[in-house]
Amino acid sequence: MICLMLTAYFSKMLDGRCFLLSSGWRPKKHNVVTSCSRSSQILKKFKVEGLYIVCTPDIAKDLRYIQILKVWDILPLEDIPKLGHRLETILNRYTDDFINLCVEKYLEGDLEVPQSWPLSMEFSRFKDFSVTETQSDFVGDTSDGRSYVENSQVSESLLLMKFYALSSGVVNHLLSDREGRELDLPFEVTDQERDIILHHRSSFIVGRSGTGKTTVLTMKLFQKERCYHLAMQGCYDTENSKVEQSSATTDGKVLRQLFVTVSPKLCFAIKQHVLHLKSFACGGSDSTERSLIDMVDFDEEESQFKDIQDSFRDIPPSSYPLVITFHKFLMMLDGTLSNSYFARFCDAPLTHGQLRSSRSVAFQAFIRAKEVSYERFSSSYWPHFNTQLTNNLDVSRVFTEIISHIKGGLGSIESCNGKLSREDYVQLCEGRGSNLSKQKRDTIYDIFQAYEKLKKGNGEFDLADFVIDLQRRLKHEKYEGDQMDFIYIDEVQDLTMSQIALFKHMCNNVDEGFVFSGDTAQTIARGIDFRFQDIRHLFYKKFVLESRTNKHDERKEKGKISEIYHLTQNFRTHAGILKLSQSIIDLLYRFFPLSIDVLKPESSLIYGEAPVVLESGENENAIIKIFGNSGNIVGFGAEQVILVRDDAARKGISNVVGKHALVLTIVECKGLEFQDVLLYNFFGSSPLKNQWRVIYDYMKEQDLLDSTLPKKFPSFNEAKHNILCSELKQLYVAVTRTRQRLWICETVEEISKPMFNYWKKKCLVQVRQLDDSLAQAMQVASSAEEWKSRGIKLYRENNYEMATMCFERAGDTYWEQRSKAAGLKAIADRMRVSNPEVANSILREAAEIFDAIGKADSAARCFSDLGEYERADIAHLYGLRIARYGPHSSSFTHISSN
Ligand SMILES: Nc1ncnc2c1ncn2[C@@H]1O[C@H](COP(=O)(O)OP(=O)(O)OP(=O)(O)O)[C@@H](O)[C@H]1O
């Protein structure tokens, strides 16, 4: 086998010589790039058509450990010394044992074939720094006793590169016309990832941000797809026989796999990836290729699923593997059972037929108008509650309690109406992890009751009501949709227990069929609160035990569920950032052990500088210092961002920086990553104010307090410092958005001091004076393509304001207008209940813009929401004409003038 590092550029270079290498052919003379050290002696180069393939022997884990050739690059002679030098630093970290294995020769006649060893063989690839005497072998700051193998920019790292096993499929992909497109093929994963992928029982995967959770899930799905494909062709692969043997997969002709994500953006990316993988697994059939969605023309959630009906009954085999959002999953489940939840809303402008069509414009409009999201709860409901009740409570905390515990917890599923009684809810204060007193719970229950009453009066519903109704129907009615063979649920931390419990009806293969993945350090979704251990408990109680009572005793043994798997290697950023984020996690472990799962700290092979705390002069505003220099200001590029706490802060900063930088709130940036992040005034705007001094309490316990630090500080009190938990999780999400540089800047020194002192004491940050040269070095210009690509990412996150700015910077008028109109429509949707008149006039403006740029579907949707069905029809017809004749079709003029 040969492993090949791929870039689009390579496709031009391959002439089959790599195949020869992989089959044991070697040129008579192959040169060593450099030969000064033992490790670099394994570096080889082979000449191919005037270019050089630079590679090293390596070892991969398969059925046995096996020698492979790893190709690092193909490049002209003059570029080799630079790569050689960088590689040498990495290869010097290899252990002698590892190098000996790599160079062992095994000949069959004249052919050199790969040597292999049993998996029981033990060896380490990299030297263990803690036992090495010559520390100079390692790079960067090693004061923490860890070793870093590479010191490079994250974006240029050789160790974070993806490698692909060379096969005829890969070469076909390379040689086909896919210029400039990133390769979407299964790449070589780490041993840790591989073990999870091959584990055949139901499992739970946890790992911090960027550790490969989604990768493992999609590869698992791909693995099953490929095995099934081989099985159907009659090629039995002994290694993967588990899939073939699984009763679930042999009785039908279709392998039914379901992949569910919470965010539409992630769902879209995975759908693309899965279709590419499927096409690859099946030898790249044309029909699969054609069904790929146009990346750029991605629109609202429903358009992703145009080809999928709102029901799990008789799904066409070609729709599998089914990749959908959780929202779509609920709609499909609703459509599978009788008596749709939405039929009860008598003013719903729906017929049963319409309900079953996922394209029904009126149906989508109804949900948009009537669903109470967190935003609507806080803007339209909260102000109506008695202030005596709401006074000392945080709106997001109350929403979480209602959605996750009163209406969405494990206890709720078991109660008769799907909601906890006051008595049961108040009693939770005696249970694990409760930091709400009896009295506070009583008050929250009062608010809950007021909320339910008001909601009923408004004829509205929330997601929990919908889920309760589905649970109720499933109790009385057998699910008769397609049974799934395997279900994968990503971002599971953003779901409630009763939402997760719905999946048990979809798949009888409890022992092998479920994989859940997520990260509780990133739970900043409004309304959700749980740990992974809780899902495990739920899985055991609701999935395993309930399936056992229906089956015979022989299933007992099979009923065991897997341990939680932990992913620990970070692929997104360097050690400087990881150490800082771990320090935040440590505080969560200490203060809120019940709101986060304990994981081994992440590791990174890449050394990187510690984040920078910016200090500016007295009375000097850092933002003005960086962006206010009206002379030759470059501004932040598309890969850089200013992160702030909330909308108000965003508006304030945007007024100063204008279009010179992207400004996002922490909630908005979740799931996104940037090259550089400036975290602005996080502490200064914190509701915790001077209570951040409770950090000194932790420092005292850790023996980190010295004489320069305060002697007096508050002791930690769970009830009083409850809000610290969500503050730390937000801080964690903010600092983990960066790949390379992180600057932290505060306006109120007093409030940030405790955390800064904690970080300084642990040598996790460096303090820099913000002078002109630093301000300049922070700014990196971007090309029009980079701005557009960032705009598309933000558009998919529904962040239209910032997306519009990106498209403007990219000079793309069509997208600028489209994003502007989408933004207006979103504002109108939010105002629909509180101010219908203004909402309608904003919506009309959006409709006209959509219409003007030829975005007929969206224009039709707006006109339909406005009740202007005739115009909606015209726009819809126009859309059809565009699809048939193109945007300048004269027939439109004819229709609109009629
Ligand atoms: N073995 C690997 N080699 C190289 N890159 C990898 C490897 N495994 C994962 N990656 C890459 O690392 C990045 C992060 O992976 P992924 O999105 O799966 O992480 P995640 O844990 O789901 O992150 P988050 O929680 O932030 O969504 C992706 O670009 C992925 O392609």
Side-chain angles (χ1 to χ4, degrees), residues 159-163 182 187-190 193 207-216 218 266 490-491 493 517-519 522 567 570-572 671 673 737 739:
L159 289 174
L160 293 184
M161 253 178 350
K162 292 185 175 111
F163 287 83
E182 200 184 312
F187 52 85
E188 293 298 298
V189 293
T190 60
E193 290 174 311
R208 301 281 175 242
S209 166
T211 52
K213 297 181 294 297
T214 306
T215 304
V216 165
T218 34
L266 185 62
D490 204 1
E491 300 177 302
Q493 77 271 359
S517 101
D519 173 14
Q522 296 180 60
L567 283 166
N570 187 293
F571 296 98
R572 190 169 282 154
E673 59 180 45
R737 292 313 93 202
R739 303 194 74 205

mmCIF file of all heavy atoms in Angstrom, residues 159-163 182 187-190 193 207-216 218 266 490-491 493 517-519 522 567 570-572 671 673 737 739, ligand 1:
data_model
loop_
_atom_site.group_PDB
_atom_site.id
_atom_site.type_symbol
_atom_site.label_atom_id
_atom_site.label_comp_id
_atom_site.label_asym_id
_atom_site.label_seq_id
_atom_site.Cartn_x
_atom_site.Cartn_y
_atom_site.Cartn_z
ATOM 1 N N LEU A 159 1.936 17.978 9.780
ATOM 2 C CA LEU A 159 1.295 16.923 10.579
ATOM 3 C C LEU A 159 -0.223 16.973 10.536
ATOM 4 O O LEU A 159 -0.886 15.995 10.840
ATOM 5 C CB LEU A 159 1.770 17.015 12.033
ATOM 6 C CG LEU A 159 3.217 16.593 12.261
ATOM 7 C CD1 LEU A 159 3.639 16.858 13.692
ATOM 8 C CD2 LEU A 159 3.397 15.116 11.932
ATOM 9 N N LEU A 160 -0.780 18.140 10.212
ATOM 10 C CA LEU A 160 -2.248 18.226 10.150
ATOM 11 C C LEU A 160 -2.773 17.954 8.741
ATOM 12 O O LEU A 160 -3.962 18.021 8.485
ATOM 13 C CB LEU A 160 -2.728 19.598 10.627
ATOM 14 C CG LEU A 160 -2.497 19.911 12.108
ATOM 15 C CD1 LEU A 160 -3.092 21.254 12.486
ATOM 16 C CD2 LEU A 160 -3.085 18.830 13.004
ATOM 17 N N MET A 161 -1.828 17.663 7.822
ATOM 18 C CA MET A 161 -2.243 17.367 6.452
ATOM 19 C C MET A 161 -3.034 16.068 6.400
ATOM 20 O O MET A 161 -2.818 15.180 7.215
ATOM 21 C CB MET A 161 -0.998 17.168 5.591
ATOM 22 C CG MET A 161 -0.753 18.280 4.678
ATOM 23 S SD MET A 161 0.721 18.112 3.677
ATOM 24 C CE MET A 161 1.651 16.787 4.233
ATOM 25 N N LYS A 162 -3.929 15.981 5.419
ATOM 26 C CA LYS A 162 -4.678 14.731 5.266
ATOM 27 C C LYS A 162 -3.948 13.826 4.280
ATOM 28 O O LYS A 162 -3.449 14.302 3.258
ATOM 29 C CB LYS A 162 -6.081 15.024 4.750
ATOM 30 C CG LYS A 162 -6.897 15.759 5.787
ATOM 31 C CD LYS A 162 -8.328 15.944 5.342
ATOM 32 C CE LYS A 162 -9.131 16.564 6.439
ATOM 33 N NZ LYS A 162 -9.565 17.915 6.173
ATOM 34 N N PHE A 163 -3.906 12.533 4.565
ATOM 35 C CA PHE A 163 -3.280 11.562 3.682
ATOM 36 C C PHE A 163 -4.340 10.586 3.186
ATOM 37 O O PHE A 163 -5.273 10.263 3.917
ATOM 38 C CB PHE A 163 -2.180 10.801 4.425
ATOM 39 C CG PHE A 163 -0.954 11.636 4.666
ATOM 40 C CD1 PHE A 163 -0.880 12.494 5.746
ATOM 41 C CD2 PHE A 163 0.118 11.583 3.790
ATOM 42 C CE1 PHE A 163 0.225 13.297 5.954
ATOM 43 C CE2 PHE A 163 1.235 12.378 3.993
ATOM 44 C CZ PHE A 163 1.290 13.236 5.079
ATOM 45 N N GLU A 182 -11.697 20.910 -3.220
ATOM 46 C CA GLU A 182 -11.040 20.107 -2.200
ATOM 47 C C GLU A 182 -11.483 18.660 -2.351
ATOM 48 O O GLU A 182 -12.630 18.386 -2.676
ATOM 49 C CB GLU A 182 -11.425 20.619 -0.813
ATOM 50 C CG GLU A 182 -10.433 20.181 0.230
ATOM 51 C CD GLU A 182 -10.877 20.614 1.610
ATOM 52 O OE1 GLU A 182 -11.240 21.792 1.753
ATOM 53 O OE2 GLU A 182 -10.867 19.765 2.506
ATOM 54 N N PHE A 187 -10.030 9.925 4.177
ATOM 55 C CA PHE A 187 -8.585 10.053 4.388
ATOM 56 C C PHE A 187 -8.129 9.134 5.514
ATOM 57 O O PHE A 187 -8.947 8.532 6.213
ATOM 58 C CB PHE A 187 -8.196 11.509 4.648
ATOM 59 C CG PHE A 187 -8.985 12.192 5.739
ATOM 60 C CD1 PHE A 187 -8.618 12.071 7.078
ATOM 61 C CD2 PHE A 187 -10.091 12.957 5.427
ATOM 62 C CE1 PHE A 187 -9.332 12.701 8.080
ATOM 63 C CE2 PHE A 187 -10.825 13.585 6.420
ATOM 64 C CZ PHE A 187 -10.449 13.460 7.755
ATOM 65 N N GLU A 188 -6.818 9.021 5.666
ATOM 66 C CA GLU A 188 -6.266 8.155 6.704
ATOM 67 C C GLU A 188 -6.513 8.769 8.066
ATOM 68 O O GLU A 188 -6.185 9.934 8.292
ATOM 69 C CB GLU A 188 -4.756 7.977 6.485
ATOM 70 C CG GLU A 188 -4.418 7.203 5.244
ATOM 71 C CD GLU A 188 -4.973 5.780 5.288
ATOM 72 O OE1 GLU A 188 -4.578 5.012 6.181
ATOM 73 O OE2 GLU A 188 -5.824 5.443 4.433
ATOM 74 N N VAL A 189 -7.077 8.005 8.973
ATOM 75 C CA VAL A 189 -7.378 8.542 10.297
ATOM 76 C C VAL A 189 -6.348 8.040 11.314
ATOM 77 O O VAL A 189 -5.562 7.144 11.005
ATOM 78 C CB VAL A 189 -8.801 8.134 10.745
ATOM 79 C CG1 VAL A 189 -9.848 8.797 9.885
ATOM 80 C CG2 VAL A 189 -8.963 6.617 10.740
ATOM 81 N N THR A 190 -6.383 8.626 12.489
ATOM 82 C CA THR A 190 -5.438 8.181 13.532
ATOM 83 C C THR A 190 -5.901 6.826 14.081
ATOM 84 O O THR A 190 -7.051 6.428 13.879
ATOM 85 C CB THR A 190 -5.410 9.175 14.702
ATOM 86 O OG1 THR A 190 -6.735 9.233 15.250
ATOM 87 C CG2 THR A 190 -4.980 10.556 14.265
ATOM 88 N N GLU A 193 -9.005 7.255 16.171
ATOM 89 C CA GLU A 193 -10.230 7.407 15.367
ATOM 90 C C GLU A 193 -10.636 6.066 14.756
ATOM 91 O O GLU A 193 -11.803 5.697 14.737
ATOM 92 C CB GLU A 193 -10.005 8.432 14.246
ATOM 93 C CG GLU A 193 -9.876 9.871 14.744
ATOM 94 C CD GLU A 193 -9.495 10.849 13.624
ATOM 95 O OE1 GLU A 193 -8.536 10.566 12.879
ATOM 96 O OE2 GLU A 193 -10.138 11.889 13.500
ATOM 97 N N GLY A 207 -15.546 14.412 22.636
ATOM 98 C CA GLY A 207 -14.247 15.016 22.380
ATOM 99 C C GLY A 207 -14.471 16.497 22.300
ATOM 100 O O GLY A 207 -15.557 16.945 21.932
ATOM 101 N N ARG A 208 -13.459 17.259 22.670
ATOM 102 C CA ARG A 208 -13.605 18.702 22.596
ATOM 103 C C ARG A 208 -13.620 19.136 21.136
ATOM 104 O O ARG A 208 -13.339 18.359 20.231
ATOM 105 C CB ARG A 208 -12.466 19.386 23.366
ATOM 106 C CG ARG A 208 -12.408 18.996 24.835
ATOM 107 C CD ARG A 208 -13.449 19.735 25.645
ATOM 108 N NE ARG A 208 -13.471 19.273 27.030
ATOM 109 C CZ ARG A 208 -14.510 18.697 27.628
ATOM 110 N NH1 ARG A 208 -15.640 18.503 26.984
ATOM 111 N NH2 ARG A 208 -14.439 18.309 28.879
ATOM 112 N N SER A 209 -13.829 20.436 20.971
ATOM 113 C CA SER A 209 -13.954 21.009 19.642
ATOM 114 C C SER A 209 -12.751 20.690 18.738
ATOM 115 O O SER A 209 -11.606 20.864 19.158
ATOM 116 C CB SER A 209 -14.078 22.521 19.871
ATOM 117 O OG SER A 209 -13.897 23.198 18.708
ATOM 118 N N GLY A 210 -13.019 20.188 17.542
ATOM 119 C CA GLY A 210 -11.943 19.969 16.565
ATOM 120 C C GLY A 210 -11.156 18.685 16.762
ATOM 121 O O GLY A 210 -10.050 18.536 16.260
ATOM 122 N N THR A 211 -11.734 17.717 17.496
ATOM 123 C CA THR A 211 -10.985 16.476 17.723
ATOM 124 C C THR A 211 -11.425 15.342 16.789
ATOM 125 O O THR A 211 -10.984 14.213 16.941
ATOM 126 C CB THR A 211 -11.128 16.006 19.200
ATOM 127 O OG1 THR A 211 -12.522 15.969 19.526
ATOM 128 C CG2 THR A 211 -10.406 16.925 20.157
ATOM 129 N N GLY A 212 -12.301 15.631 15.848
ATOM 130 C CA GLY A 212 -12.635 14.631 14.830
ATOM 131 C C GLY A 212 -13.929 13.854 15.074
ATOM 132 O O GLY A 212 -14.129 12.799 14.475
ATOM 133 N N LYS A 213 -14.831 14.374 15.884
ATOM 134 C CA LYS A 213 -16.078 13.637 16.177
ATOM 135 C C LYS A 213 -16.908 13.434 14.908
ATOM 136 O O LYS A 213 -17.328 12.322 14.595
ATOM 137 C CB LYS A 213 -16.929 14.398 17.222
ATOM 138 C CG LYS A 213 -16.257 14.536 18.574
ATOM 139 C CD LYS A 213 -17.134 15.257 19.569
ATOM 140 C CE LYS A 213 -17.405 16.711 19.220
ATOM 141 N NZ LYS A 213 -16.221 17.574 19.194
ATOM 142 N N THR A 214 -17.131 14.533 14.179
ATOM 143 C CA THR A 214 -17.940 14.431 12.966
ATOM 144 C C THR A 214 -17.235 13.541 11.946
ATOM 145 O O THR A 214 -17.877 12.749 11.246
ATOM 146 C CB THR A 214 -18.173 15.841 12.380
ATOM 147 O OG1 THR A 214 -18.715 16.652 13.422
ATOM 148 C CG2 THR A 214 -19.111 15.819 11.211
ATOM 149 N N THR A 215 -15.919 13.645 11.892
ATOM 150 C CA THR A 215 -15.148 12.821 10.968
ATOM 151 C C THR A 215 -15.385 11.343 11.257
ATOM 152 O O THR A 215 -15.659 10.545 10.354
ATOM 153 C CB THR A 215 -13.643 13.142 11.129
ATOM 154 O OG1 THR A 215 -13.461 14.525 10.920
ATOM 155 C CG2 THR A 215 -12.785 12.334 10.194
ATOM 156 N N VAL A 216 -15.302 10.966 12.529
ATOM 157 C CA VAL A 216 -15.479 9.568 12.903
ATOM 158 C C VAL A 216 -16.882 9.084 12.545
ATOM 159 O O VAL A 216 -17.062 7.984 12.000
ATOM 160 C CB VAL A 216 -15.196 9.392 14.418
ATOM 161 C CG1 VAL A 216 -15.706 8.051 14.915
ATOM 162 C CG2 VAL A 216 -13.711 9.529 14.694
ATOM 163 N N THR A 218 -18.929 10.234 10.169
ATOM 164 C CA THR A 218 -19.131 10.081 8.718
ATOM 165 C C THR A 218 -18.320 8.897 8.189
ATOM 166 O O THR A 218 -18.787 8.167 7.313
ATOM 167 C CB THR A 218 -18.735 11.349 7.929
ATOM 168 O OG1 THR A 218 -17.647 11.960 8.579
ATOM 169 C CG2 THR A 218 -19.839 12.333 7.827
ATOM 170 N N LEU A 266 -24.004 22.289 9.346
ATOM 171 C CA LEU A 266 -23.256 21.036 9.461
ATOM 172 C C LEU A 266 -23.934 19.960 8.619
ATOM 173 O O LEU A 266 -23.282 19.179 7.940
ATOM 174 C CB LEU A 266 -23.157 20.615 10.930
ATOM 175 C CG LEU A 266 -22.287 19.391 11.188
ATOM 176 C CD1 LEU A 266 -20.848 19.655 10.773
ATOM 177 C CD2 LEU A 266 -22.330 18.982 12.646
ATOM 178 N N ASP A 490 -25.160 13.556 15.582
ATOM 179 C CA ASP A 490 -24.039 14.456 15.886
ATOM 180 C C ASP A 490 -24.567 15.645 16.689
ATOM 181 O O ASP A 490 -25.771 15.908 16.694
ATOM 182 C CB ASP A 490 -23.410 14.939 14.567
ATOM 183 C CG ASP A 490 -21.953 15.378 14.761
ATOM 184 O OD1 ASP A 490 -21.451 15.283 15.884
ATOM 185 O OD2 ASP A 490 -21.342 15.817 13.773
ATOM 186 N N GLU A 491 -23.693 16.364 17.366
ATOM 187 C CA GLU A 491 -24.042 17.545 18.172
ATOM 188 C C GLU A 491 -25.146 17.203 19.163
ATOM 189 O O GLU A 491 -26.059 18.000 19.392
ATOM 190 C CB GLU A 491 -24.548 18.685 17.279
ATOM 191 C CG GLU A 491 -23.592 19.179 16.240
ATOM 192 C CD GLU A 491 -24.235 20.245 15.371
ATOM 193 O OE1 GLU A 491 -25.270 19.982 14.739
ATOM 194 O OE2 GLU A 491 -23.710 21.361 15.348
ATOM 195 N N GLN A 493 -25.278 17.169 22.147
ATOM 196 C CA GLN A 493 -25.361 18.044 23.336
ATOM 197 C C GLN A 493 -26.436 19.118 23.166
ATOM 198 O O GLN A 493 -26.824 19.755 24.125
ATOM 199 C CB GLN A 493 -24.003 18.710 23.627
ATOM 200 C CG GLN A 493 -23.611 19.878 22.745
ATOM 201 C CD GLN A 493 -22.854 19.472 21.479
ATOM 202 O OE1 GLN A 493 -22.598 18.303 21.269
ATOM 203 N NE2 GLN A 493 -22.494 20.435 20.645
ATOM 204 N N SER A 517 -22.660 11.520 19.224
ATOM 205 C CA SER A 517 -21.405 12.239 19.472
ATOM 206 C C SER A 517 -21.668 13.696 19.824
ATOM 207 O O SER A 517 -22.659 14.284 19.384
ATOM 208 C CB SER A 517 -20.484 12.113 18.262
ATOM 209 O OG SER A 517 -20.525 13.267 17.495
ATOM 210 N N GLY A 518 -20.796 14.250 20.642
ATOM 211 C CA GLY A 518 -20.979 15.649 21.057
ATOM 212 C C GLY A 518 -19.942 16.088 22.067
ATOM 213 O O GLY A 518 -18.987 15.369 22.361
ATOM 214 N N ASP A 519 -20.147 17.285 22.591
ATOM 215 C CA ASP A 519 -19.195 17.874 23.537
ATOM 216 C C ASP A 519 -19.945 18.794 24.495
ATOM 217 O O ASP A 519 -20.463 19.831 24.077
ATOM 218 C CB ASP A 519 -18.150 18.685 22.756
ATOM 219 C CG ASP A 519 -17.227 19.469 23.672
ATOM 220 O OD1 ASP A 519 -17.208 19.190 24.885
ATOM 221 O OD2 ASP A 519 -16.522 20.364 23.170
ATOM 222 N N GLN A 522 -19.388 22.631 24.980
ATOM 223 C CA GLN A 522 -19.892 23.591 23.999
ATOM 224 C C GLN A 522 -21.402 23.792 24.099
ATOM 225 O O GLN A 522 -22.021 24.329 23.197
ATOM 226 C CB GLN A 522 -19.562 23.109 22.580
ATOM 227 C CG GLN A 522 -18.075 23.033 22.298
ATOM 228 C CD GLN A 522 -17.811 22.542 20.887
ATOM 229 O OE1 GLN A 522 -18.218 23.154 19.920
ATOM 230 N NE2 GLN A 522 -17.120 21.429 20.769
ATOM 231 N N LEU A 567 -12.136 11.261 22.218
ATOM 232 C CA LEU A 567 -11.155 11.649 21.200
ATOM 233 C C LEU A 567 -10.284 12.740 21.809
ATOM 234 O O LEU A 567 -10.802 13.697 22.390
ATOM 235 C CB LEU A 567 -11.871 12.190 19.954
ATOM 236 C CG LEU A 567 -12.474 11.121 19.053
ATOM 237 C CD1 LEU A 567 -13.439 11.737 18.063
ATOM 238 C CD2 LEU A 567 -11.383 10.351 18.317
ATOM 239 N N ASN A 570 -6.278 17.073 18.924
ATOM 240 C CA ASN A 570 -6.907 18.213 18.260
ATOM 241 C C ASN A 570 -6.289 18.440 16.881
ATOM 242 O O ASN A 570 -5.070 18.431 16.736
ATOM 243 C CB ASN A 570 -6.738 19.458 19.133
ATOM 244 C CG ASN A 570 -7.509 20.623 18.597
ATOM 245 O OD1 ASN A 570 -7.198 21.154 17.536
ATOM 246 N ND2 ASN A 570 -8.555 21.008 19.304
ATOM 247 N N PHE A 571 -7.161 18.641 15.883
ATOM 248 C CA PHE A 571 -6.666 18.850 14.513
ATOM 249 C C PHE A 571 -6.846 20.288 14.060
ATOM 250 O O PHE A 571 -6.603 20.611 12.914
ATOM 251 C CB PHE A 571 -7.432 17.949 13.533
ATOM 252 C CG PHE A 571 -7.223 16.500 13.779
ATOM 253 C CD1 PHE A 571 -8.143 15.763 14.488
ATOM 254 C CD2 PHE A 571 -6.075 15.867 13.319
ATOM 255 C CE1 PHE A 571 -7.949 14.425 14.731
ATOM 256 C CE2 PHE A 571 -5.875 14.525 13.558
ATOM 257 C CZ PHE A 571 -6.809 13.800 14.266
ATOM 258 N N ARG A 572 -7.364 21.132 14.921
ATOM 259 C CA ARG A 572 -7.733 22.466 14.463
ATOM 260 C C ARG A 572 -6.730 23.538 14.833
ATOM 261 O O ARG A 572 -6.542 24.497 14.124
ATOM 262 C CB ARG A 572 -9.104 22.817 15.051
ATOM 263 C CG ARG A 572 -9.712 24.054 14.470
ATOM 264 C CD ARG A 572 -11.148 24.207 14.883
ATOM 265 N NE ARG A 572 -12.040 23.340 14.133
ATOM 266 C CZ ARG A 572 -13.213 22.907 14.588
ATOM 267 N NH1 ARG A 572 -13.628 23.243 15.800
ATOM 268 N NH2 ARG A 572 -13.974 22.128 13.848
ATOM 269 N N GLY A 671 -19.366 26.893 16.019
ATOM 270 C CA GLY A 671 -19.313 26.081 14.811
ATOM 271 C C GLY A 671 -18.456 26.699 13.714
ATOM 272 O O GLY A 671 -18.181 26.067 12.716
ATOM 273 N N GLU A 673 -14.781 28.664 12.470
ATOM 274 C CA GLU A 673 -13.403 28.828 12.912
ATOM 275 C C GLU A 673 -12.724 29.906 12.101
ATOM 276 O O GLU A 673 -13.100 30.163 10.950
ATOM 277 C CB GLU A 673 -12.638 27.509 12.846
ATOM 278 C CG GLU A 673 -12.579 26.884 11.469
ATOM 279 C CD GLU A 673 -11.814 25.573 11.432
ATOM 280 O OE1 GLU A 673 -12.025 24.740 12.320
ATOM 281 O OE2 GLU A 673 -11.009 25.407 10.495
ATOM 282 N N ARG A 737 -12.375 29.160 18.856
ATOM 283 C CA ARG A 737 -12.699 29.485 17.459
ATOM 284 C C ARG A 737 -11.446 29.736 16.641
ATOM 285 O O ARG A 737 -11.482 29.764 15.432
ATOM 286 C CB ARG A 737 -13.584 30.749 17.360
ATOM 287 C CG ARG A 737 -14.998 30.649 17.878
ATOM 288 C CD ARG A 737 -15.716 29.444 17.408
ATOM 289 N NE ARG A 737 -15.584 28.359 18.360
ATOM 290 C CZ ARG A 737 -15.736 27.074 18.070
ATOM 291 N NH1 ARG A 737 -16.019 26.699 16.864
ATOM 292 N NH2 ARG A 737 -15.596 26.137 18.986
ATOM 293 N N ARG A 739 -7.636 29.325 15.041
ATOM 294 C CA ARG A 739 -6.677 28.307 14.633
ATOM 295 C C ARG A 739 -5.256 28.776 14.971
ATOM 296 O O ARG A 739 -4.409 28.010 15.336
ATOM 297 C CB ARG A 739 -6.762 28.039 13.132
ATOM 298 C CG ARG A 739 -8.139 27.627 12.672
ATOM 299 C CD ARG A 739 -8.092 27.056 11.281
ATOM 300 N NE ARG A 739 -7.518 25.726 11.309
ATOM 301 C CZ ARG A 739 -6.909 25.145 10.279
ATOM 302 N NH1 ARG A 739 -6.788 25.786 9.157
ATOM 303 N NH2 ARG A 739 -6.417 23.931 10.387
HETATM 304 N N1 LIG B 1 -6.836 11.990 11.190
HETATM 305 C C1 LIG B 1 -6.992 13.225 10.718
HETATM 306 N N2 LIG B 1 -6.024 13.808 9.982
HETATM 307 C C2 LIG B 1 -6.163 15.069 9.506
HETATM 308 N N3 LIG B 1 -7.240 15.846 9.721
HETATM 309 C C3 LIG B 1 -8.247 15.329 10.454
HETATM 310 C C4 LIG B 1 -8.187 13.997 10.997
HETATM 311 N N4 LIG B 1 -9.343 13.763 11.672
HETATM 312 C C5 LIG B 1 -10.092 14.894 11.567
HETATM 313 N N5 LIG B 1 -9.438 15.812 10.835
HETATM 314 C C6 LIG B 1 -9.892 17.176 10.477
HETATM 315 O O1 LIG B 1 -10.007 17.955 11.667
HETATM 316 C C7 LIG B 1 -11.052 18.928 11.528
HETATM 317 C C8 LIG B 1 -11.994 18.829 12.730
HETATM 318 O O2 LIG B 1 -12.679 17.588 12.655
HETATM 319 P P1 LIG B 1 -14.227 17.450 13.018
HETATM 320 O O3 LIG B 1 -15.029 18.530 12.403
HETATM 321 O O4 LIG B 1 -14.600 16.025 12.758
HETATM 322 O O5 LIG B 1 -14.136 17.714 14.592
HETATM 323 P P2 LIG B 1 -15.316 17.863 15.657
HETATM 324 O O6 LIG B 1 -14.796 17.176 16.883
HETATM 325 O O7 LIG B 1 -16.593 17.362 15.088
HETATM 326 O O8 LIG B 1 -15.331 19.441 15.878
HETATM 327 P P3 LIG B 1 -16.517 20.394 16.492
HETATM 328 O O9 LIG B 1 -16.897 19.825 17.825
HETATM 329 O O10 LIG B 1 -15.870 21.745 16.616
HETATM 330 O O11 LIG B 1 -17.625 20.353 15.483
HETATM 331 C C9 LIG B 1 -11.735 18.629 10.205
HETATM 332 O O12 LIG B 1 -11.226 19.542 9.239
HETATM 333 C C10 LIG B 1 -11.294 17.205 9.884
HETATM 334 O O13 LIG B 1 -11.261 16.974 8.476
#
